[in-house]
mmCIF file of all heavy atoms in Angstrom:
data_model
loop_
_atom_site.group_PDB
_atom_site.id
_atom_site.type_symbol
_atom_site.label_atom_id
_atom_site.label_comp_id
_atom_site.label_asym_id
_atom_site.label_seq_id
_atom_site.Cartn_x
_atom_site.Cartn_y
_atom_site.Cartn_z
ATOM 1 N N MET A 138 -6.683 7.160 3.376
ATOM 2 C CA MET A 138 -6.806 6.259 4.517
ATOM 3 C C MET A 138 -5.961 6.746 5.696
ATOM 4 O O MET A 138 -6.454 6.858 6.818
ATOM 5 C CB MET A 138 -6.366 4.861 4.089
ATOM 6 C CG MET A 138 -6.368 3.811 5.193
ATOM 7 S SD MET A 138 -5.761 2.241 4.571
ATOM 8 C CE MET A 138 -4.023 2.641 4.318
ATOM 9 N N ARG A 139 -4.724 7.098 5.431
ATOM 10 C CA ARG A 139 -3.859 7.560 6.516
ATOM 11 C C ARG A 139 -4.214 8.973 6.957
ATOM 12 O O ARG A 139 -4.200 9.294 8.143
ATOM 13 C CB ARG A 139 -2.398 7.509 6.077
ATOM 14 C CG ARG A 139 -1.859 6.086 5.977
ATOM 15 C CD ARG A 139 -0.359 6.039 6.108
ATOM 16 N NE ARG A 139 0.116 6.491 7.402
ATOM 17 C CZ ARG A 139 1.390 6.484 7.794
ATOM 18 N NH1 ARG A 139 2.315 6.033 6.959
ATOM 19 N NH2 ARG A 139 1.755 6.918 8.972
ATOM 20 N N GLY A 140 -4.538 9.826 5.982
ATOM 21 C CA GLY A 140 -4.843 11.203 6.332
ATOM 22 C C GLY A 140 -6.101 11.346 7.155
ATOM 23 O O GLY A 140 -6.173 12.192 8.048
ATOM 24 N N LEU A 141 -7.118 10.499 6.854
ATOM 25 C CA LEU A 141 -8.390 10.579 7.572
ATOM 26 C C LEU A 141 -8.486 9.555 8.693
ATOM 27 O O LEU A 141 -9.522 9.453 9.351
ATOM 28 C CB LEU A 141 -9.549 10.379 6.587
ATOM 29 C CG LEU A 141 -9.662 11.448 5.485
ATOM 30 C CD1 LEU A 141 -10.736 11.062 4.488
ATOM 31 C CD2 LEU A 141 -9.963 12.803 6.092
ATOM 32 N N GLY A 142 -7.428 8.795 8.896
ATOM 33 C CA GLY A 142 -7.426 7.837 10.000
ATOM 34 C C GLY A 142 -8.323 6.651 9.779
ATOM 35 O O GLY A 142 -8.837 6.069 10.736
ATOM 36 N N LEU A 143 -8.530 6.260 8.517
ATOM 37 C CA LEU A 143 -9.449 5.165 8.226
ATOM 38 C C LEU A 143 -8.792 3.792 8.330
ATOM 39 O O LEU A 143 -9.459 2.775 8.180
ATOM 40 C CB LEU A 143 -10.027 5.346 6.815
ATOM 41 C CG LEU A 143 -10.824 6.635 6.591
ATOM 42 C CD1 LEU A 143 -11.225 6.748 5.136
ATOM 43 C CD2 LEU A 143 -12.050 6.676 7.475
ATOM 44 N N ASP A 144 -7.481 3.760 8.564
ATOM 45 C CA ASP A 144 -6.814 2.465 8.659
ATOM 46 C C ASP A 144 -6.739 1.935 10.081
ATOM 47 O O ASP A 144 -6.243 0.838 10.315
ATOM 48 C CB ASP A 144 -5.405 2.551 8.081
ATOM 49 C CG ASP A 144 -4.547 3.576 8.808
ATOM 50 O OD1 ASP A 144 -5.091 4.319 9.656
ATOM 51 O OD2 ASP A 144 -3.336 3.648 8.515
ATOM 52 N N ASN A 145 -7.253 2.731 11.036
ATOM 53 C CA ASN A 145 -7.247 2.311 12.445
ATOM 54 C C ASN A 145 -5.847 1.948 12.935
ATOM 55 O O ASN A 145 -5.683 1.129 13.835
ATOM 56 C CB ASN A 145 -8.174 1.108 12.671
ATOM 57 C CG ASN A 145 -9.617 1.444 12.397
ATOM 58 O OD1 ASN A 145 -10.031 2.593 12.580
ATOM 59 N ND2 ASN A 145 -10.389 0.470 11.937
ATOM 60 N N GLY A 146 -4.841 2.551 12.312
ATOM 61 C CA GLY A 146 -3.470 2.289 12.733
ATOM 62 C C GLY A 146 -2.946 0.926 12.353
ATOM 63 O O GLY A 146 -1.916 0.491 12.875
ATOM 64 N N GLU A 147 -3.633 0.220 11.442
ATOM 65 C CA GLU A 147 -3.217 -1.125 11.051
ATOM 66 C C GLU A 147 -2.076 -1.034 10.050
ATOM 67 O O GLU A 147 -2.278 -0.723 8.877
ATOM 68 C CB GLU A 147 -4.394 -1.899 10.452
ATOM 69 C CG GLU A 147 -5.524 -2.147 11.445
ATOM 70 C CD GLU A 147 -6.633 -2.987 10.836
ATOM 71 O OE1 GLU A 147 -6.320 -3.831 9.963
ATOM 72 O OE2 GLU A 147 -7.792 -2.794 11.210
ATOM 73 N N LYS A 148 -0.872 -1.338 10.495
ATOM 74 C CA LYS A 148 0.292 -1.262 9.619
ATOM 75 C C LYS A 148 0.282 -2.342 8.547
ATOM 76 O O LYS A 148 0.836 -2.151 7.464
ATOM 77 C CB LYS A 148 1.567 -1.357 10.452
ATOM 78 C CG LYS A 148 1.756 -0.152 11.379
ATOM 79 C CD LYS A 148 3.076 -0.236 12.125
ATOM 80 C CE LYS A 148 3.264 0.996 13.009
ATOM 81 N NZ LYS A 148 4.537 0.948 13.758
ATOM 82 N N ASP A 149 -0.358 -3.469 8.836
ATOM 83 C CA ASP A 149 -0.454 -4.525 7.827
ATOM 84 C C ASP A 149 -1.235 -4.036 6.609
ATOM 85 O O ASP A 149 -0.911 -4.369 5.465
ATOM 86 C CB ASP A 149 -1.132 -5.765 8.410
ATOM 87 C CG ASP A 149 -0.233 -6.499 9.397
ATOM 88 O OD1 ASP A 149 0.987 -6.255 9.344
ATOM 89 O OD2 ASP A 149 -0.755 -7.297 10.186
ATOM 90 N N MET A 150 -2.297 -3.250 6.870
ATOM 91 C CA MET A 150 -3.090 -2.709 5.768
ATOM 92 C C MET A 150 -2.234 -1.772 4.925
ATOM 93 O O MET A 150 -2.267 -1.827 3.685
ATOM 94 C CB MET A 150 -4.312 -1.962 6.308
ATOM 95 C CG MET A 150 -5.194 -1.361 5.212
ATOM 96 S SD MET A 150 -6.500 -0.296 5.867
ATOM 97 C CE MET A 150 -7.476 -1.500 6.749
ATOM 98 N N ARG A 151 -1.458 -0.926 5.582
ATOM 99 C CA ARG A 151 -0.605 0.011 4.851
ATOM 100 C C ARG A 151 0.418 -0.738 4.007
ATOM 101 O O ARG A 151 0.654 -0.406 2.844
ATOM 102 C CB ARG A 151 0.111 0.931 5.830
ATOM 103 C CG ARG A 151 -0.814 1.795 6.668
ATOM 104 C CD ARG A 151 -0.004 2.570 7.698
ATOM 105 N NE ARG A 151 -0.860 3.315 8.607
ATOM 106 C CZ ARG A 151 -0.420 3.976 9.672
ATOM 107 N NH1 ARG A 151 0.887 3.985 9.952
ATOM 108 N NH2 ARG A 151 -1.251 4.627 10.448
ATOM 109 N N ARG A 152 1.012 -1.755 4.611
ATOM 110 C CA ARG A 152 2.021 -2.514 3.886
ATOM 111 C C ARG A 152 1.409 -3.241 2.688
ATOM 112 O O ARG A 152 2.036 -3.349 1.631
ATOM 113 C CB ARG A 152 2.720 -3.499 4.820
ATOM 114 C CG ARG A 152 3.792 -2.851 5.703
ATOM 115 C CD ARG A 152 4.671 -3.904 6.353
ATOM 116 N NE ARG A 152 3.951 -4.640 7.381
ATOM 117 C CZ ARG A 152 3.935 -4.315 8.667
ATOM 118 N NH1 ARG A 152 4.631 -3.262 9.090
ATOM 119 N NH2 ARG A 152 3.265 -5.032 9.538
ATOM 120 N N SER A 153 0.178 -3.741 2.853
ATOM 121 C CA SER A 153 -0.489 -4.435 1.747
ATOM 122 C C SER A 153 -0.699 -3.499 0.562
ATOM 123 O O SER A 153 -0.426 -3.857 -0.593
ATOM 124 C CB SER A 153 -1.841 -4.988 2.211
ATOM 125 O OG SER A 153 -1.675 -5.965 3.211
ATOM 126 N N LEU A 154 -1.178 -2.294 0.855
ATOM 127 C CA LEU A 154 -1.393 -1.333 -0.219
ATOM 128 C C LEU A 154 -0.067 -0.908 -0.852
ATOM 129 O O LEU A 154 0.034 -0.750 -2.075
ATOM 130 C CB LEU A 154 -2.132 -0.101 0.310
ATOM 131 C CG LEU A 154 -3.659 -0.220 0.401
ATOM 132 C CD1 LEU A 154 -4.248 1.027 1.035
ATOM 133 C CD2 LEU A 154 -4.271 -0.448 -0.975
ATOM 134 N N THR A 155 0.942 -0.733 -0.029
ATOM 135 C CA THR A 155 2.249 -0.324 -0.550
ATOM 136 C C THR A 155 2.829 -1.397 -1.459
ATOM 137 O O THR A 155 3.386 -1.091 -2.529
ATOM 138 C CB THR A 155 3.218 -0.039 0.611
ATOM 139 O OG1 THR A 155 2.668 1.004 1.431
ATOM 140 C CG2 THR A 155 4.573 0.411 0.088
ATOM 141 N N ARG A 156 2.709 -2.661 -1.056
ATOM 142 C CA ARG A 156 3.195 -3.746 -1.909
ATOM 143 C C ARG A 156 2.415 -3.792 -3.226
ATOM 144 O O ARG A 156 2.991 -4.019 -4.295
ATOM 145 C CB ARG A 156 3.074 -5.091 -1.174
ATOM 146 C CG ARG A 156 4.157 -5.319 -0.123
ATOM 147 C CD ARG A 156 4.216 -6.785 0.289
ATOM 148 N NE ARG A 156 2.968 -7.201 0.924
ATOM 149 C CZ ARG A 156 2.750 -7.172 2.240
ATOM 150 N NH1 ARG A 156 3.714 -6.736 3.057
ATOM 151 N NH2 ARG A 156 1.615 -7.578 2.743
ATOM 152 N N ALA A 157 1.094 -3.580 -3.141
ATOM 153 C CA ALA A 157 0.270 -3.604 -4.355
ATOM 154 C C ALA A 157 0.681 -2.480 -5.307
ATOM 155 O O ALA A 157 0.794 -2.682 -6.524
ATOM 156 C CB ALA A 157 -1.207 -3.481 -3.996
ATOM 157 N N VAL A 158 0.930 -1.295 -4.740
ATOM 158 C CA VAL A 158 1.332 -0.153 -5.570
ATOM 159 C C VAL A 158 2.705 -0.410 -6.191
ATOM 160 O O VAL A 158 2.925 -0.128 -7.382
ATOM 161 C CB VAL A 158 1.339 1.147 -4.742
ATOM 162 C CG1 VAL A 158 2.042 2.276 -5.496
ATOM 163 C CG2 VAL A 158 -0.081 1.546 -4.397
ATOM 164 N N TYR A 159 3.610 -0.948 -5.408
ATOM 165 C CA TYR A 159 4.950 -1.253 -5.927
ATOM 166 C C TYR A 159 4.852 -2.246 -7.089
ATOM 167 O O TYR A 159 5.513 -2.094 -8.121
ATOM 168 C CB TYR A 159 5.816 -1.825 -4.810
ATOM 169 C CG TYR A 159 7.261 -2.053 -5.203
ATOM 170 C CD1 TYR A 159 8.188 -1.013 -5.143
ATOM 171 C CD2 TYR A 159 7.697 -3.302 -5.629
ATOM 172 C CE1 TYR A 159 9.510 -1.218 -5.509
ATOM 173 C CE2 TYR A 159 9.016 -3.517 -5.990
ATOM 174 C CZ TYR A 159 9.917 -2.466 -5.931
ATOM 175 O OH TYR A 159 11.218 -2.673 -6.298
ATOM 176 N N GLY A 160 3.996 -3.249 -6.917
ATOM 177 C CA GLY A 160 3.804 -4.221 -7.993
ATOM 178 C C GLY A 160 3.216 -3.577 -9.236
ATOM 179 O O GLY A 160 3.617 -3.903 -10.365
ATOM 180 N N MET A 161 2.261 -2.664 -9.055
ATOM 181 C CA MET A 161 1.653 -1.970 -10.197
ATOM 182 C C MET A 161 2.687 -1.110 -10.924
ATOM 183 O O MET A 161 2.685 -1.015 -12.156
ATOM 184 C CB MET A 161 0.488 -1.096 -9.732
ATOM 185 C CG MET A 161 -0.735 -1.865 -9.279
ATOM 186 S SD MET A 161 -1.545 -2.719 -10.639
ATOM 187 C CE MET A 161 -2.914 -3.482 -9.750
ATOM 188 N N ILE A 162 3.575 -0.469 -10.173
ATOM 189 C CA ILE A 162 4.626 0.346 -10.802
ATOM 190 C C ILE A 162 5.559 -0.540 -11.626
ATOM 191 O O ILE A 162 5.943 -0.186 -12.753
ATOM 192 C CB ILE A 162 5.417 1.122 -9.732
ATOM 193 C CG1 ILE A 162 4.525 2.150 -9.020
ATOM 194 C CG2 ILE A 162 6.622 1.813 -10.359
ATOM 195 C CD1 ILE A 162 4.049 3.267 -9.909
ATOM 196 N N CYS A 163 5.911 -1.693 -11.074
ATOM 197 C CA CYS A 163 6.753 -2.638 -11.826
ATOM 198 C C CYS A 163 6.046 -3.084 -13.110
ATOM 199 O O CYS A 163 6.665 -3.150 -14.187
ATOM 200 C CB CYS A 163 7.082 -3.859 -10.965
ATOM 201 S SG CYS A 163 8.155 -3.510 -9.554
ATOM 202 N N LEU A 164 4.754 -3.398 -12.988
ATOM 203 C CA LEU A 164 3.981 -3.823 -14.145
ATOM 204 C C LEU A 164 3.919 -2.707 -15.190
ATOM 205 O O LEU A 164 4.066 -2.959 -16.393
ATOM 206 C CB LEU A 164 2.566 -4.219 -13.705
ATOM 207 C CG LEU A 164 1.619 -4.688 -14.811
ATOM 208 C CD1 LEU A 164 2.115 -5.995 -15.414
ATOM 209 C CD2 LEU A 164 0.196 -4.854 -14.262
ATOM 210 N N THR A 165 3.713 -1.466 -14.733
ATOM 211 C CA THR A 165 3.648 -0.323 -15.642
ATOM 212 C C THR A 165 4.963 -0.145 -16.388
ATOM 213 O O THR A 165 4.977 0.090 -17.608
ATOM 214 C CB THR A 165 3.313 0.965 -14.861
ATOM 215 O OG1 THR A 165 2.077 0.783 -14.165
ATOM 216 C CG2 THR A 165 3.206 2.161 -15.790
ATOM 217 N N LEU A 166 6.072 -0.251 -15.666
ATOM 218 C CA LEU A 166 7.388 -0.115 -16.301
ATOM 219 C C LEU A 166 7.592 -1.185 -17.362
ATOM 220 O O LEU A 166 7.993 -0.885 -18.498
ATOM 221 C CB LEU A 166 8.489 -0.202 -15.252
ATOM 222 C CG LEU A 166 9.930 -0.268 -15.793
ATOM 223 C CD1 LEU A 166 10.261 0.972 -16.606
ATOM 224 C CD2 LEU A 166 10.916 -0.464 -14.647
ATOM 225 N N PHE A 167 7.304 -2.425 -17.005
ATOM 226 C CA PHE A 167 7.522 -3.529 -17.948
ATOM 227 C C PHE A 167 6.675 -3.358 -19.208
ATOM 228 O O PHE A 167 7.176 -3.441 -20.339
ATOM 229 C CB PHE A 167 7.197 -4.863 -17.267
ATOM 230 C CG PHE A 167 7.232 -6.043 -18.194
ATOM 231 C CD1 PHE A 167 8.434 -6.567 -18.635
ATOM 232 C CD2 PHE A 167 6.048 -6.615 -18.649
ATOM 233 C CE1 PHE A 167 8.468 -7.650 -19.510
ATOM 234 C CE2 PHE A 167 6.065 -7.695 -19.521
ATOM 235 C CZ PHE A 167 7.282 -8.214 -19.955
#
């Protein structure tokens, strides 16, 4: 998304994905 410019510069979208990934990592660890 960021490399190909598909997020249209929407930082909220980036933050949403980052939070989701962080949550998945926590779930994986647990």
